[in-house]
Amino acid sequence: KQWYQRRVAITAGEIKANYTLLSNMLGEYKRILALIPANFLPLMQPHINYIEDVLRPGITMLTWSSISLEDYVAKGYAEIRELELLIERIGNLCKYRIDAVLTEMGKTPLCELPDRVAWSVDDFLARTEVSNFVFFCCATNNAYLQY
């Protein structure tokens, strides 16, 4: 009888530890999902589906005392970390590549506007053609310099 009580106490401790482990993993998964920007959610769906496939055995096949529970949690955390890394890379790509280029494009004047005196249509066209030519030349030279 004493052996049985000791075994039940050990099993109860293991089950509580497994519960904590699984709860933390699912909490981390929810935290990572919240990091995904809404406009990238459709693009991230295949990755989310893959992680959900990795996590699905926890719902259908594993029990609180399964031997393979530690391997399952390790695999789940590894895939969650991969998703977090992907989200971080996407964020950096948007911030430093896309948004930076769009910001620079927004600062570029497409045409010169008069300060105080109104221009005639011919003056406006002449100045716009010159500024577009200069812009084209600078953009072309800059493109060559980047490669």
Side-chain angles (χ1 to χ4, degrees):
K1 184 176 180 180
Q2 192 177 23
W3 175 85
Y4 180 72
Q5 289 174 342
R6 217 176 357 187
R7 181 66 187 145
V8 168
I10 291 171
T11 304
E14 288 175 0
I15 290 173
K16 287 179 184 178
N18 288 343
Y19 174 79
T20 302
L21 199 62
L22 291 170
S23 294
N24 290 341
M25 183 179 69
L26 292 177
E28 182 69 4
Y29 177 61
K30 287 180 183 178
R31 183 187 73 81
I32 298 300
L33 285 180
L35 295 176
I36 300 174
N39 53 345
F40 287 111
L41 198 54
L43 297 172
M44 297 296 292
Q45 199 59 49
H47 300 284
I48 294 170
N49 291 343
Y50 175 74
I51 291 179
E52 288 178 356
D53 288 343
V54 169
L55 298 178
R56 189 164 288 118
I59 298 170
T60 57
M61 295 172 24
L62 297 175
T63 64
W64 291 109
S65 59
S66 292
I67 295 172
S68 62
L69 195 62
E70 290 178 7
D71 294 335
Y72 165 75
V73 171
K75 173 88 169 141
Y77 267 119
E79 295 303 328
I80 290 170
R81 293 289 166 246
E82 287 291 322
L83 180 63
E84 184 177 29
L85 181 62
L86 180 62
I87 292 169
E88 183 180 333
R89 287 179 178 167
I90 288 172
N92 289 339
L93 181 71
C94 284
K95 183 177 180 180
Y96 297 112
R97 296 282 180 121
I98 297 171
D99 291 343
V101 169
L102 290 176
T103 301
E104 283 299 315
M105 287 174 62
K107 292 177 183 177
T108 305
L110 298 178
C111 65
E112 186 180 349
L113 296 175
D115 291 332
R116 296 187 184 128
V117 180
W119 295 340
S120 68
V121 174
D122 294 331
D123 288 340
F124 177 76
L125 287 175
R127 292 174 190 234
T128 303
E129 288 175 4
V130 169
S131 65
N132 283 343
F133 176 74
V134 170
F135 174 74
F136 176 75
C137 290
C138 290
T140 305
N141 289 336
N142 191 20
Y144 290 131
L145 292 175
Q146 287 180 359
Y147 290 108

